């Protein structure tokens, strides 16, 4: 099967479902506090619920670089299959949790297992899609994350229909069954297999941190890392605080602001990653900086969007800004791994993306906490507007410093 011309796109389709499950399983807890607090008393306190959400992010961020190092040395197929099976089993077991401590440790273990997925999956897709389809393939995969985030919200619906325990059970069972499907249909790229194979007469073992050293000694990677981390600030800000901002600036109840903000960002980001992937794959055929330019255009669109989100008070301005931000951020999101492929060898891409993933998650944790304080002070809109200035700095640095000489560094 893997020799068929259509197989690279089958890889994307298979991993799209995993991406959906990845975000769905992590996101559903955020919607189920009301259903769970009757059985687990600690969840009546917002501080305890916040700790439950935070432990996932911190563990996920810490493990991400190590997940990338491992993915560059072993079969990424089995990392994807194993991580999906484990986090789905954890989701299933959460339905049996009887107290806060059990939930806390299961959530932490989910952070470990989910961290193994993204570096492996994006590296695998990048190897199967070279040149004309790489950005579009990455973009299509990213839409799975957006859809999973939206579907995760239906955990509360299922909990209301059945119970919160049943919601966790069924979501977990779906992932466990799908991991068995992947065992049969997902294959590693043969180039990666040859690169990770250890010769029989190797005189000494290669350090597991060799790839880390190569990545960190590459000047362009530091530019890419900064360029990735800075947009993560408004990226996570919109995930965690956009409903509150819509409610405050439009003076509408959260019951209306939540769906409005979520749908606005999800739909526009969906369009952005597909358009950004398509444009990048064509532009790079004429100009090696085509991926950089496509990403820069997308990120440039987020700057006025953040200003309007922060300062706008009409439905047209705020929703329009949300749509502009989503399209721009999607164009940026679709091109991070393809740009990385222009500067980092295929042998070390998962390691590099693992570091980027860690940095982005930590940036998200930081901005979530800071904007929480600004919200208490009535300055959430100003916080969003100031993020636009920080993004502009990253944009200038990216355009000044990233000059690829190849689209696929070996």
């Amino acid at each position: 099967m893997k020799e068929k011309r259509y197989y690279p796109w089958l890889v994307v389709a298979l991993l799209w479902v995993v991406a959906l499950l990845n975000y769905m399983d992590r996101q559903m807890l955020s919607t189920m506090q009301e259903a769970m607090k009757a059985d687990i008393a600690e969840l009546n306190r917002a501080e305890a619920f916040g700790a439950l959400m935070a432990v996932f992010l911190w563990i996920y961020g810490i493990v991400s670089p190590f997940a990338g190092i491992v993915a560059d040395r072993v079969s990424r197929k089995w990392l994807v299959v194993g991580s999906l099976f484990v986090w789905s089993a954890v989701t299933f077991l959460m339905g049996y949790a009887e107290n806060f401590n059990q939930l806390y440790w299961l959530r932490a273990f989910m952070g470990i297992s989910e961290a193994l997925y993204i570096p492996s999956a994006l590296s695998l897709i990048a190897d199967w899609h070279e040149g004309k389809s790489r950005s579009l393939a990455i973009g299509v995969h990213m839409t799975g994350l957006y859809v999973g985030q939206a579907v995760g919200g239906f955990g509360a619906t299922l909990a209301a229909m059945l119970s919160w325990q049943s919601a966790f059970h069924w979501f977990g069972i779906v992932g466990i069954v799908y991991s068995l499907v992947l065992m049969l249909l997902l294959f590693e790229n043969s180039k990666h297999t040859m690169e990770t194979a250890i010769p029989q007469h190797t005189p000494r073992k290669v350090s597991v941190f060799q790839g880390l050293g190569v990545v960190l000694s590459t000047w362009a990677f530091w530019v890419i890392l900064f360029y990735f981390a800075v947009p993560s600030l408004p990226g996570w800000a919109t995930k965690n605080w956009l409903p509150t901002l819509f409610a405050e600036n439009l003076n509408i109840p959260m019951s209306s602001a939540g769906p409005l903000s979520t749908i606005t960002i999800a739909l526009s980001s969906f369009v952005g990653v597909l358009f950004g992937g398509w444009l990048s794959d064509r532009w790079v055929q004429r100009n090696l900086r085509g991926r950089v330019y496509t990403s820069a255009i997308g990120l440039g669109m987020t700057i006025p969007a953040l200003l309007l989100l922060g300062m706008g008070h009409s439905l047209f301005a705020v929703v329009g800004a949300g749509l502009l931000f989503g399209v721009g951020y999607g164009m940026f999101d679709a091109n991070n791994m393809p740009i990385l492929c222009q500067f980092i060898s295929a042998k070390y891409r998962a390691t590099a993306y693992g570091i980027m993933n860690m940095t982005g998650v930590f940036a998200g944790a930081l901005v979530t906490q800071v904007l929480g304080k600004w919200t208490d002070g009535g300055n959430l809109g100003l916080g969003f507007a100031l993020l636009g200035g920080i993004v502009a700095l990253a944009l200038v640095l990216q355009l000044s410093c990233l000059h690829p000489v190849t689209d696929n560094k070996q």
Side-chain angles (χ1 to χ4, degrees), residues 222-236 329 332 336 355-356 358-364 390-391 394:
W222 289 99
V223 177
I224 295 171
L225 183 63
F226 182 78
Y227 177 71
F228 179 84
V230 168
S232 294
L233 295 171
W236 281 96
Y329 196 84
F332 158 81
N336 289 317
I355 298 170
M356 292 165 61
M358 176 192 70
T359 307
V361 169
F362 286 169
I390 302 174
V391 170

Side-chain angles (χ1 to χ4, degrees), residues 133-167:
S133 61
R134 178 172 282 162
S135 284
L136 181 59
I138 296 290
V140 171
H141 174 265
M142 288 297 185
T143 64
L145 302 178
Y146 303 144
V147 174
Q149 187 174 356
V151 173
F154 287 94
T157 305
L158 188 57
M161 293 172 56
L162 302 173
S163 67
W164 65 267
Q165 292 93 340
S166 295

Side-chain angles (χ1 to χ4, degrees), residues 322-365:
L323 292 171
L324 184 65
F325 180 88
V327 172
Y329 196 84
M331 293 175 67
F332 158 81
D333 219 9
N335 283 287
N336 289 317
M337 176 57 88
I339 290 174
L340 188 67
C341 293
Q342 294 182 319
F343 296 94
I344 300 295
S345 166
K347 294 183 290 186
Y348 309 121
R349 285 172 190 163
T351 297
Y353 201 88
I355 298 170
M356 292 165 61
N357 211 27
M358 176 192 70
T359 307
V361 169
F362 286 169

Side-chain angles (χ1 to χ4, degrees), residues 66 148 312 339 379:
F66 302 100
I339 290 174
N379 294 311

Side-chain angles (χ1 to χ4, degrees), residues 114-131:
E114 288 211 2
L116 292 169
Y117 173 67
I118 286 292
S120 300
L122 294 187
S123 175
L124 186 60
I125 292 173
D127 277 2
W128 278 109
H129 289 266
E130 296 183 358

Side-chain angles (χ1 to χ4, degrees), residues 21 43 75 120 129 155 161 175 204 250 253 268 290 315 330 384 391 397:
L21 294 172
L43 295 183
S75 169
S120 300
H129 289 266
M161 293 172 56
R204 62 183 176 83
L250 297 179
S268 56
L315 182 65
F384 267 80
V391 170
L397 185 66

Side-chain angles (χ1 to χ4, degrees), residues 78-157:
W78 292 110
L79 277 179
V80 169
V81 172
S83 61
L84 171 60
F85 181 87
V86 171
W87 89 60
S88 299
V90 168
T91 301
F92 180 82
L93 291 174
M94 288 179 74
Y96 289 106
E98 297 178 346
N99 56 60
F100 178 81
N101 284 337
Q102 290 175 355
L103 278 176
Y104 187 87
W105 287 108
L106 285 169
R107 187 73 174 171
F109 204 67
M110 179 180 281
I112 297 173
S113 55
E114 288 211 2
L116 292 169
Y117 173 67
I118 286 292
S120 300
L122 294 187
S123 175
L124 186 60
I125 292 173
D127 277 2
W128 278 109
H129 289 266
E130 296 183 358
K132 296 182 180 180
S133 61
R134 178 172 282 162
S135 284
L136 181 59
I138 296 290
V140 171
H141 174 265
M142 288 297 185
T143 64
L145 302 178
Y146 303 144
V147 174
Q149 187 174 356
V151 173
F154 287 94
T157 305

